[in-house]
Amino acid sequence: MNHDTHWTADPDELLRVGPGFRLSEQPTDGTPGFDGGKKEGRKALSHGADVLAGLQEKLFACGRLGESRSILLVLQAMDTAGKGGIVSHVIGAMNPGGVHYAGFGKPTPEELAHDFLWRVWREVPAAGQVAVFDRSHYEDVLIGRVRRLADPDEIERRYGAITAFENELTESGTAVIKVMLHLGKDQQKRRLASRLERLDKLWKFNPADVDERLLWDEYQDAYQIALERTNSVQAPWFVVPADHKWYARAAVQELLIRQLQRLQLEWPAPDYDVEEQKQRLAAS
Amino acid sequence: MNHDTHWTADPDELLRVGPGFRLSEQPTDGTPGFDGGKKEGRKALSHGADVLAGLQEKLFACGRLGESRSILLVLQAMDTAGKGGIVSHVIGAMNPGGVHYAGFGKPTPEELAHDFLWRVWREVPAAGQVAVFDRSHYEDVLIGRVRRLADPDEIERRYGAITAFENELTESGTAVIKVMLHLGKDQQKRRLASRLERLDKLWKFNPADVDERLLWDEYQDAYQIALERTNSVQAPWFVVPADHKWYARAAVQELLIRQLQRLQLEWPAPDYDVEEQKQRLAAS
């Protein structure tokens, strides 16, 4: 680590899903690995923004000069868990020219007429890009499972299809980071209630959020199954406690920073003769 | 204006292309309408970032609840004029979830097999979005004209086609802001030279940049023609002096802020009964 940090342990190791993982045993209000509270968390986020932006520029530069590496961050969570805040505060620190944001809502008729991975493939990152999925192909085994939107056989089939899809991505140069923001049920109630109290937040509330909340336990089960069956060394899941927004933001930022650092990016060598171009430019 | 500002005159009026406009008479090193230098410019940009982000969130909220309004910012310029910095420093202040960035490079064979507007239509903003075109359909009458990439008749046809396209956008709810970053030829030489001096900037240099530089006057003529023939009340052109990066950034930000303010956005009314939802939530 070459940036000032409050991280006392690697969140990559602390938050990574491993063998025997039980979602129901994971606290939602912890701040594992972080030495400090909200104030320090915000400071770390602010400092980390520059580090992340610098690393992303290097990734982008490498992509421009022919390297194939890219990053895909998958964000999944119950409503109000803070996906939007991660997009704004973590992803927002990077240059929009190198970021690809894709939000996945209720599938359109055209999307439903295709395999569930069809709409997802169209949004995977290009070389040098950081792509962010705000919801993703996992909806098809989460709400898909809970709401029985497909036959049980088809739902079963999808776990393997997802693993194959993610393997293909990683083998072609995309580092895949999958994050579940893990929110407490009471905390969700408070956040939904506060949306109903503020004129500038009413638009974020959807009556369907309460419908899904009534199926909380079914969703937790569906997450447990998805985490178990699609976790892999190449495309690992991280479960990030999300009751403290500042922690979840700092943690996801740190996961991205460490992933980018592992790529050991260097400024790419030019594919032209620098001295020759200096002379051409001087004469122009 | 409800935000503290160094603007002594509306950049919308100062920079807007009007009748009899001559690009060759426009200074590239001015800072029209701005009371201050680099330090004040950076301060204005930092403060304006919050104002812009707030307005954009309102636009996004309106889009979510069924309003059709959106923004399209078109950025055109000679190389090194600062498009990338505008994207990073001005657009980057907004939530990536509501921003659509589209960079237009050399057309692919598939793009060339279609009308020149085909690839552009696919990138126009959805309701509530701010879309940014980093280069655009104007390339087809700029490099297209200078490099004779299409028949003269086809080039002539495109000015009208562009106007019709932009009219269609504005009539369906998209505010179109077209910005030419106006850079001095000497300033470009300095910026290209500095890219060749820094290991972390070599990737930004392309030998083709010098090729285009050698056609500087032809490009200025092509810009003059494009500005004249595609300027309209609905989709106006703004020529922003770009020798001072801080000024160009602050000016484009201010153009966006004032455009968003003219929309007189209000937080949208919810399409559900708030009290009923409070009760459902309390019981959940």
Side-chain angles (χ1 to χ4, degrees), chain B residues 72-121:
Chain B
L72 171 61
L73 174 67
V74 171
L75 295 175
Q76 282 291 154
M78 298 299 284
D79 291 313
T80 76
K83 288 187 287 83
I86 301 272
V87 170
S88 176
H89 294 275
V90 179
I91 304 307
M94 295 184 276
N95 190 326
V99 169
H100 179 67
Y101 168 88
F104 293 95
K106 189 179 168 186
T108 64
E110 189 187 17
E111 288 169 350
L112 285 172
H114 290 85
D115 181 80
F116 78 107
L117 292 174
W118 180 71
R119 65 174 184 166
V120 181
W121 265 108

Side-chain angles (χ1 to χ4, degrees), chain A residues 184-227:
Chain A
K185 193 176 178 188
D186 290 346
Q187 183 67 14
Q188 191 199 45
K189 195 173 198 169
R190 280 192 287 276
R191 291 187 187 177
L192 284 172
S194 89
R195 287 185 179 178
L196 287 168
E197 294 296 338
R198 287 177 54 178
L199 187 64
D200 62 341
K201 299 289 180 197
L202 289 175
W203 68 276
K204 290 191 174 186
F205 182 92
N206 188 326
D209 299 346
V210 180
D211 301 339
E212 302 311 303
R213 174 176 170 76
L214 293 169
L215 297 167
W216 187 273
D217 292 345
E218 287 85 342
Y219 273 102
Q220 298 296 305
D221 289 347
Y223 269 106
Q224 171 69 33
I225 296 166
L227 293 169

